[in-house]
Amino acid sequence: MKVTIESLRSDILKDIADISGENVAECYQCGKCTAACPVNQAMDILPHQVLRLLQLGLVDEVMNSKTIWICASCFTCAGRCPRDVDLANVMEAVRVLLLRERGASRIKAEDMPEILRKGMPEQGIVSGFRKYAK
Ligand code: SF4
Ligand code: SF4
């Protein structure tokens, strides 16, 4: 992993803290969040590694990861954390910042495949747009 000055983005770290209400410095890397995460196998950065990268100020590694979009916002990690760090809130804050920064939603209604529009429960559609759209 290449560390550059530009990747140490303290302004973004403050925004993540403000939006999420979480203090990433509380994490002591026990790994319980990763062990409990039901989708960790699909992630390119594991949940506890997300916290470590943010502690080190390596925001871009997190923002460019697949992990923040794969996170299912299930809050399992938050329930297991002995330090009361709610990683789901942190993931959400990073997604919100990216959507704001890029000025566009990650998905649009017209992009949804026909099968999803017909078969997905309304609650799932609403949750999806809450996660992927402004
Ligand atoms: S469970 Fe909490 S303290 Fe342990 S690695 Fe995950 S976020 Fe950090
Ligand atoms: S909220 Fe995200 S990171 Fe936490 S356990 Fe669920 S899917 Fe994994």
Side-chain angles (χ1 to χ4, degrees), residues 37-39 43 47 71-77 87-88 91:
C37 177
V39 290
M43 292 175 166
C71 169
S73 302
C74 67
F75 296 95
T76 305
C77 50
L87 178 55
M91 299 274 205

Side-chain angles (χ1 to χ4, degrees), residues 26-33 48 51 80-83 85:
E26 290 290 329
C27 169
Y28 58 13
Q29 291 290 289
C30 69
K32 287 189 176 183
C33 49
H48 72 287
L51 272 299
R80 302 287 174 89
C81 180
R83 300 289 290 168
V85 178

Side-chain angles (χ1 to χ4, degrees), residues 88-109:
N89 283 343
V90 174
M91 299 274 205
E92 172 74 8
V94 176
R95 287 194 296 268
V96 165
L97 285 170
L98 270 174
L99 291 174
R100 285 182 192 169
E101 191 176 278
R102 293 180 181 168
S105 297
R106 189 172 168 89
I107 58 170
K108 299 186 183 84

